[in-house]
Amino acid sequence: MNNQKQQKPTLTGQRFKTRKRDEKERFDPTQFQESIVQGLNQTGTDLEAVAKFLDASGAKLDYRRYAETLFDILVAGGMLAPGGTLSDDVTRTEYCLFTANEDLETMQAYAQVRRSASVLIDPIDRSWLLLFLKGFTESERNKLAMLTGILLANGNISASILSSLFNENLVKEGVSAAFAVKLFKSWINEKDINSVAGSLRKVGMDNRLMELFPANKRSCEHFSKYFTDAGLKELSDFARNQQSIGARKELQKELQEQMSRGDPFKDIIAYVKEEMKKTNISEQTMIGIVWTSVMSSVEWNKKEELVTEQAIKHLKQYSPLLKAFTSQGLSELTLLLKIQEYCYDNIHFMKAFQKIVVLLYKADVLSEEAILKWYTEAHVAKGKSVFLEQMKKFVEWLKNAEEESESEEEEGD
């Protein structure tokens, strides 16, 4: 028996012939364009015939591979060179989006063609196409904006495509804002403002709409006037609301930082009141932010019997801050509802509700009128039976004290 290890066979650079079907076809967008343009020139302006032609050609032509070229042809009539101009050396068609009528009905028909073609199995995010806007005429931009709005409304493309509109040059020349007007109008016409809001949130662009304007015009007032004048009040209101939410989050973050540093209450109150003026935040909204910040600034004990004592001590310390933002009856009611919701949502605080309310009553943060109104009609459903039962004796005491006070006044008179 031969004990020598058998030598493994090695490849010696031998070349194998590739079968014809395994060879990858050469990428040739010019040839693809000629085939599509020829078909479109034959179908003419009949969009149903265009859709049928595109569907039929999908079996022969590789739409997935030439998706960008096809999109250029359907929009501009041929392949676009850098800058948005049509390449001179290639065949083009006059039957495209840019030569169509500038109205919503025609744009909807073009969107249908785009959706029905086999290529549309893969949505094309031609975000860089929007960077060419300066190279297009105003009418071409309007048509592209309307088509984009319809496609966005129907979920054919992602709202992330809009990031191209924040390009500095497009913004500076006012192209982005004008394009956005046409786009959002056709989007809202197709669906509604909730569709716009949902799609923008999904891609994290709900707080970036102000960037459609240059830095010196990037204010809520300018945005609101521009889009309201253009007939898009819904979008103005949405952007205002988003900015307000952003401002409230920033304010709460800063407030918590000031508390953790142990800044004097008078400084914190002065800062908050200044921010309220700047961002137009009402006292009712502000007391909610202050309450959340106060309750977030401490690590709570997990034991129910200890957390009440801890909460009373903590809130006694911060009562001057709460008092500064409850000068109105509505603010007091807002605070009571916030306390109710907090105690319900944080199970360890369920038994602490009455003690917190009594403490804030004694500290002149809550008035008896606000407490009685909350008790009789202004409470919410969360933990209602538990909290009303807890408050029963204190409310009776308040009512008796009020009656005694009234009778003493009458005797005095």
Side-chain angles (χ1 to χ4, degrees), residues 59 85 105 111 120 143 197 218 261 300 306 329 333 365 391:
T85 54
E105 199 178 332
L120 304 177
K143 291 168 197 171
R218 213 167 280 173
R261 287 198 304 264
W300 295 110
L306 297 174
L333 274 177
V365 175
M391 290 296 292

Side-chain angles (χ1 to χ4, degrees), residues 110-293:
Y110 265 91
Q112 194 56 47
V113 167
R114 189 197 177 294
R115 286 200 292 270
S116 66
S118 328
V119 66
L120 304 177
I121 296 163
D122 277 343
I124 315 156
D125 273 359
R126 294 298 309 279
S127 54
W128 62 270
L129 181 68
L130 300 191
L131 292 173
F132 293 165
L133 292 179
K134 272 172 71 179
F136 303 149
T137 66
E138 187 184 350
S139 177
E140 287 169 351
R141 287 198 292 266
N142 289 345
K143 291 168 197 171
L144 183 59
M146 289 155 82
L147 175 71
T148 306
I150 294 163
L151 295 173
L152 283 162
N154 290 289
N156 301 115
I157 52 176
S158 163
S160 59
I161 192 173
L162 300 179
S163 60
S164 294
L165 293 179
F166 303 139
N167 171 274
E168 194 181 345
N169 291 327
L170 294 178
V171 168
K172 194 176 169 185
E173 296 195 17
V175 172
S176 296
F179 188 88
V181 165
K182 292 286 183 184
L183 183 150
F184 286 119
K185 269 191 173 178
S186 69
W187 189 343
I188 291 169
N189 177 73
E190 194 79 4
K191 286 283 167 70
D192 55 30
I193 191 65
N194 296 325
S195 163
V196 174
S199 298
L200 292 177
R201 280 193 194 105
K202 203 172 177 182
V203 294
M205 288 175 70
D206 47 325
N207 288 316
R208 295 191 64 193
L209 292 178
M210 296 289 164
E211 293 174 46
L212 290 166
F213 296 100
N216 63 338
K217 291 181 180 174
R218 213 167 280 173
S219 70
C220 209
E221 288 67 35
H222 180 78
F223 185 99
S224 184
K225 185 173 181 344
Y226 185 90
F227 282 98
T228 302
D229 289 351
L232 281 165
K233 188 178 181 300
E234 287 172 296
L235 190 71
S236 300
D237 293 344
F238 168 72
R240 191 179 283 279
N241 187 44
Q242 288 305 112
Q243 199 188 41
S244 179
I245 290 167
R248 292 201 291 265
K249 281 181 181 171
E250 283 301 308
L251 181 52
Q252 188 169 315
K253 190 180 166 191
E254 177 58 31
L255 195 51
Q256 284 172 330
E257 282 176 13
Q258 289 182 6
M259 285 180 192
S260 63
R261 287 198 304 264
D263 290 6
F265 286 152
K266 65 177 177 65
D267 294 349
I268 297 177
I269 292 164
Y271 163 76
V272 171
K273 288 197 169 173
E274 187 58 36
E275 286 300 306
M276 281 170 71
K277 271 187 207 167
K278 269 199 278 182
T279 52
N280 206 24
I281 294 175
S282 67
E283 192 183 77
Q284 290 97 280
T285 303
M286 197 62 239
I287 190 60
I289 295 171
V290 172
W291 167 261
T292 304
S293 302

Side-chain angles (χ1 to χ4, degrees), residues 274-391:
E274 187 58 36
E275 286 300 306
M276 281 170 71
K277 271 187 207 167
K278 269 199 278 182
T279 52
N280 206 24
I281 294 175
S282 67
E283 192 183 77
Q284 290 97 280
T285 303
M286 197 62 239
I287 190 60
I289 295 171
V290 172
W291 167 261
T292 304
S293 302
V294 166
M295 297 307 277
S296 304
S297 65
V298 67
E299 191 73 40
W300 295 110
N301 202 301
K302 295 286 185 283
K303 291 182 179 173
E304 196 177 88
E305 62 274 15
L306 297 174
V307 82
T308 302
E309 193 183 325
Q310 186 189 6
I312 296 303
K313 191 178 173 186
H314 181 67
L315 288 168
K316 195 172 186 178
Q317 181 192 343
Y318 280 95
S319 60
L321 192 57
L322 294 166
K323 188 180 177 181
F325 302 99
T326 50
S327 66
Q328 302 162 13
L330 275 175
S331 310
E332 291 180 55
L333 274 177
T334 302
L335 178 57
L336 275 162
L337 293 172
K338 288 285 177 190
I339 299 167
Q340 181 184 349
E341 285 169 0
Y342 187 90
C343 290
Y344 178 81
D345 293 338
N346 298 274
I347 195 89
H348 301 313
F349 281 82
M350 283 292 280
K351 290 181 181 175
F353 179 78
Q354 186 262 1
K355 288 186 171 65
I356 291 172
V357 174
V358 171
L359 166 80
L360 295 178
Y361 168 75
K362 287 178 179 174
D364 282 336
V365 175
L366 296 171
S367 65
E368 63 183 75
E369 291 84 7
I371 294 168
L372 292 173
K373 191 171 176 63
W374 170 86
Y375 186 82
T376 53
E377 58 181 276
H379 51 261
V380 288
K382 288 183 169 183
K384 177 176 117 174
S385 55
V386 175
F387 299 139
L388 290 179
E389 185 57 39
Q390 277 183 33
M391 290 296 292

